[in-house]
Amino acid sequence: MNEKKIKEQLEKQLDKKRMEHTEGVAYTAAALAMRYGVEVDKAYLAGLLHDCAKCIDKKKQYALCEKYGLELSESEKDNSSLVHAKLGAFLAEKEYDVEDLDMAACVNCDNLKN
């Protein structure tokens, strides 16, 4: 999925304040990528997708994790604000067609390859 389509889909999923935050994170990620000589486009997309599951109702986040077999750590089970990262990485791959597992891992700040 291209950047334009990802932004359009995110605008439907996120509230206005979260979308503004998301765009700020994407620009910051791109700037940091430029500074440190890594792939700017990849960093920008990871920033765009970092909160793609944030506005999903907490109960639904847990239900989706269960449905898709996403194991939650004890910390994630005890702190619902952490669940969106793991679910977001999964959704980045499945709903937003991110095939680069390293980028999906950036969304979760975890390593999905393990």
Side-chain angles (χ1 to χ4, degrees):
M1 183 179 297
N2 68 35
E3 177 188 320
K4 183 180 178 184
K5 286 186 179 188
I6 288 172
K7 284 179 93 171
E8 288 172 358
Q9 191 166 338
L10 285 171
E11 286 173 345
K12 293 175 188 174
Q13 300 295 321
L14 304 177
D15 60 43
K16 184 178 178 185
K17 186 176 179 180
R18 181 61 51 190
M19 190 63 200
E20 288 173 3
H21 162 78
T22 292
E23 288 177 324
V25 170
Y27 290 124
T28 301
L32 288 169
M34 273 189 251
R35 164 63 180 92
Y36 291 102
V38 296
E39 295 178 58
V40 174
D41 292 341
K42 185 186 280 191
Y44 181 81
L45 285 177
L48 270 182
L49 291 168
H50 87 281
D51 269 351
C52 67
K54 184 76 171 183
C55 290
I56 297 173
D57 176 76
K58 297 294 183 192
K59 288 182 182 180
K60 187 172 182 181
Q61 286 182 28
Y62 283 107
L64 288 170
C65 286
E66 186 174 330
K67 176 181 177 179
Y68 295 117
L70 302 175
E71 290 187 37
L72 299 176
S73 68
E74 288 304 314
S75 296
E76 291 165 329
K77 290 175 185 175
D78 293 340
N79 187 347
S80 64
S81 66
L82 300 176
V83 177
H84 80 280
K86 184 167 281 180
L87 180 59
F90 176 82
L91 293 177
E93 186 178 352
K94 298 301 180 198
E95 299 292 324
Y96 295 92
D97 299 326
V98 171
E99 295 177 356
D100 185 334
L101 291 182
D102 287 336
M103 193 173 88
C106 288
V107 174
N108 184 22
C109 298
D110 196 357
N111 188 344
L112 295 180
K113 291 181 182 177
N114 291 335

